[in-house]
Amino acid sequence: MTNFVLLHGAWHGGWCWARVATRLRAAGHSVFSPTFTGVSDRAHLLSPQVDLITHVDDVVRLMDAEDLHDVILVGHSYAGMVVAGVAEQRPDRIRTRVYLDAFFPRGGESAIDLLPDRIAHHYRESVSGPGFGWLIPPRSLEVLGVTATEDIDWLTPRLTPQPWATYTAAVTLTARERDVPAVYIECTSWMRVFASSAERARELGWPGYELDTGHEAMVTTPEPLALLLDQLAV
């Protein structure tokens, strides 16, 4: 049995992993999929003070409270930033970190630094307008590659704005984080916003995988994703 900790991207909650988590548990694994402070089912805790450090603390405290070791830590999209921060603080508890179409930062970088310029500009406009200066409104699911009506109907009412400080706070990293083994999974059937992060991983010689799906792989292709994660647990 492997301990999987599955971390969601911006605007989502831990519930978005349900289709993958069910399959991993059926394969005999233990699965945790927390929701970060201030979003989705924890939106009642939202404040301008919620930032990347808050979300790293969410996961570190979970791992400590559950006494989790030999963890496969999976971060989707924004949560690649969180994976890096957690690996810095608890490297001895993590077997493998998995970046699923996710930011792969270097020390001193923030999420907004890693977005393509055009998309970063769109984010800043959204924050300054409908985001009231401190929130990132949810992006269109169709832009993210979600097209099935049942998936859109499931996701849409559960998504909430993302605190802007989670994208502007820089992550502090040392060799502790770099020593944790890692793999990168890129979703290839959309605009490939995270291509530069995938390229960084290739340059470091990480094992790399591709999924022929849009950005929301845990929703659109849960079976192939769960099979791949199960294989990484061997």
Side-chain angles (χ1 to χ4, degrees):
M1 182 182 71
T2 296
N3 290 314
F4 280 92
V5 177
L6 310 177
L7 306 181
H8 62 84
W11 315 299
H12 292 59
W15 48 266
C16 74
W17 288 100
R19 299 172 184 178
V20 172
T22 296
R23 289 166 168 83
L24 291 175
R25 291 182 179 117
H29 303 298
S30 177
V31 181
F32 299 83
S33 56
T35 294
F36 296 136
T37 297
V39 293
S40 197
D41 50 290
R42 300 187 72 207
H44 58 291
L45 300 175
L46 178 64
S47 78
Q49 286 69 49
V50 173
D51 63 6
L52 174 62
I53 295 171
T54 309
H55 292 170
V56 171
D57 286 344
D58 286 338
V59 182
V60 168
R61 288 175 180 271
L62 168 70
M63 292 171 60
D64 289 350
E66 297 287 351
D67 195 25
L68 299 181
H69 295 266
D70 198 36
V71 169
I72 294 183
L73 183 63
V74 184
H76 176 243
S77 193
Y78 155 74
M81 302 295 298
V82 182
V83 167
V86 174
E88 177 69 24
Q89 293 196 33
R90 296 294 185 272
D92 56 316
R93 290 176 176 257
I94 302 169
R95 184 206 304 184
T96 307
R97 51 195 166 118
V98 180
Y99 292 78
L100 172 61
D101 221 34
F103 293 119
F104 169 31
R106 298 187 178 109
E109 290 180 329
S110 64
I112 196 67
D113 296 332
L114 299 178
L115 283 174
D117 290 343
R118 177 176 60 86
I119 297 174
H121 177 71
H122 170 74
Y123 273 47
R124 290 188 175 97
E125 284 190 331
S126 297
V127 170
S128 64
F132 308 106
W134 66 282
L135 295 168
I136 313 171
R139 296 203 75 194
S140 163
L141 289 168
E142 289 85 352
V143 169
L144 301 178
V146 182
T147 57
T149 300
E150 59 269 26
D151 293 337
I152 293 173
D153 289 347
W154 181 49
L155 290 168
T156 300
R158 293 169 172 80
L159 302 181
T160 61
Q162 179 83 4
W164 179 226
T166 64
Y167 267 66
T168 58
V171 64
T172 300
L173 303 175
T174 68
R176 287 166 59 86
E177 174 260 352
R178 292 195 298 270
D179 288 342
V180 180
V183 304
Y184 200 98
I185 304 171
E186 187 181 9
C187 301
T188 59
S189 298
W190 73 304
M191 64 179 69
R192 303 182 80 161
V193 169
F194 297 94
S196 61
S197 287
E199 179 59 28
R200 280 186 178 182
R202 284 191 291 270
E203 290 173 355
L204 290 175
W206 290 9
Y209 304 88
E210 293 184 351
L211 290 174
D212 183 14
T213 189
H215 183 52
E216 304 276 278
M218 74 287 298
V219 174
T220 55
T221 54
E223 182 72 24
L225 177 56
L227 286 173
L228 176 53
L229 294 176
D230 183 49
Q231 290 169 10
L232 294 177
V234 174

